[in-house]
Amino acid sequence: MIKNLVVIVSTLFITIVSCTVSYGQYAIHQEGEFGVGLGAGHYFGDLNTRARINRPKLAASMFFRKNLNNYIAVRVAATYARLGYSDIYNKYNEFMYRRNLSFNSNVWELSLQGDFNFFRFMPGDPTQNFTPYITFGVGVFSYDPYAYLQGKKYYLRPLGTEGQGSPLYPDRKPYGTTALSVPIGFGIKYAINDRVNIGLEILHRITSTDYLDDVSKTYVDPAAFPPKPDGSPSEAFLLSDRSYEMGEPIGLPGRQRGNSKQKDQFATAILYVSFNLQSYKCPSAK
């Protein structure tokens, strides 16, 4: 037993000596990164058909990135984005401007992505401390569009503004509050030292929903929105067609309200800081 202990101690001593004497120090191995970021998000869809970037709103993100090697990594990310738009910005299109619809929504996304560096990335090495990269993956996000009427906030999904849930339109079911996303983007990152990195990333999401903005199909018969007990118009009626606020109403039953053939999309631009997760290995270890 004493002999075995001597062998173990001798082996450990030789290993330490080889790492500290022969090589001067342990080799730093970059296992991955933990990062947080802040930036802006933007919506594209039935209220923003020209993909104009004129209404950015707050976005934030946090992620864990696991390095597979110096070029490839996998990442789990959680992102928040405040999205919204209004037809008042569509003055180039008379119909959309008179349609007068608007929305806001808080989006929470969880995604799994693959990152691919263009250059070898080695934090701590001044010759390999910068790289552009591309990223893509799949995610799931929650959303719940709302709008304001006479200063009061109303969530639009329960109101069924396109006849969802009405017996007059049995084929129109209420849409869900979660959907799939496919994030695709690019970024750049720079290692300040072997511990800390900074980066900028732009991600565009293709989604599986056309109701991020609560707009998709056609206007419906006003009979789908029964009045209140006192005989006044319901909030669902007033929010389904807001063109009356601009003049003569345009929301005739069956008239196009949105474009159901194209799903909504959104994007984020995030400036982030990340902290390297390191392990220490003997350079001679295989």
Side-chain angles (χ1 to χ4, degrees):
M1 181 174 179
I2 295 177
K3 183 179 179 180
N4 292 337
L5 182 59
V6 170
V7 171
I8 294 173
V9 172
S10 299
T11 303
L12 180 60
F13 177 76
I14 292 170
T15 301
I16 294 174
V17 169
S18 66
C19 290
T20 57
V21 177
S22 300
Y23 294 91
Q25 62 179 2
Y26 288 99
I28 299 175
H29 183 69
Q30 302 292 349
E31 298 286 353
E33 305 167 53
F34 172 77
V36 293
L38 194 65
H42 208 288
Y43 146 89
F44 310 101
D46 297 286
L47 273 64
N48 184 17
T49 57
R50 293 191 177 184
R52 301 175 71 192
I53 304 177
N54 58 347
R55 296 302 296 171
K57 296 179 181 290
L58 177 68
S61 179
M62 61 186 302
F63 65 87
F64 168 71
R65 179 185 283 128
K66 171 63 178 176
N67 296 332
L68 301 183
N69 54 45
N70 298 126
Y71 292 93
I72 301 174
V74 292
R75 181 196 340 175
V76 176
T79 303
Y80 164 79
R82 173 82 176 274
L83 304 176
Y85 210 77
S86 172
D87 274 334
I88 64 173
Y89 307 114
N90 292 322
K91 295 182 180 179
Y92 59 86
N93 185 305
E94 182 181 358
F95 173 80
M96 294 177 69
Y97 182 72
R98 291 182 59 195
R99 183 178 59 180
N100 194 38
L101 295 175
S102 64
F103 87 100
N104 283 286
S105 185
N106 294 308
V107 171
W108 299 88
E109 179 192 53
L110 183 65
S111 64
L112 177 65
Q113 297 165 225
D115 297 345
F116 303 87
N117 298 333
F118 283 88
F119 308 142
R120 182 182 176 90
F121 188 65
M122 292 285 291
D125 183 341
T127 65
Q128 300 178 340
N129 60 358
F130 168 82
T131 184
Y133 63 90
I134 59 174
T135 181
F136 67 89
V138 63
V140 60
F141 67 94
S142 65
Y143 66 103
D144 202 359
Y146 61 88
Y148 289 90
L149 179 65
Q150 298 174 352
K152 188 175 180 180
K153 179 180 177 179
Y154 292 93
Y155 284 96
L156 300 170
R157 177 179 174 272
L159 299 180
T161 56
E162 291 189 348
Q164 299 98 329
S166 170
L168 298 179
Y169 296 88
D171 59 320
R172 297 192 180 185
K173 306 299 182 183
Y175 56 86
T177 57
T178 60
L180 297 178
S181 62
V182 178
I184 304 172
F186 65 93
I188 55 174
K189 60 180 178 178
Y190 170 76
I192 299 175
N193 51 47
D194 65 335
R195 294 283 187 176
V196 182
N197 315 307
I198 57 174
L200 173 65
E201 181 174 279
I202 298 176
L203 271 181
H204 186 89
R205 279 84 163 181
I206 301 168
T207 80
S208 64
T209 181
D210 192 35
Y211 284 104
L212 187 57
D213 48 21
D214 192 61
V215 180
S216 179
K217 294 184 171 68
T218 61
Y219 290 101
V220 296
D221 192 319
F225 312 113
K228 296 179 180 179
D230 62 2
S232 61
S234 67
E235 287 78 11
F237 173 78
L238 295 174
L239 288 165
S240 66
D241 176 14
R242 305 192 68 170
S243 59
Y244 63 87
E245 296 177 329
M246 307 294 287
E248 186 70 22
I250 63 173
L252 302 176
R255 191 174 193 178
Q256 202 67 32
R257 188 172 186 260
N259 180 8
S260 60
K261 295 181 180 180
Q262 186 170 344
K263 306 297 185 183
D264 296 328
Q265 303 177 35
F266 69 97
T268 55
I270 299 288
L271 182 65
Y272 66 85
V273 57
S274 65
F275 305 91
N276 294 318
L277 305 175
Q278 302 172 337
S279 63
Y280 298 88
K281 297 182 179 180
C282 176
S284 61
K286 301 296 183 182

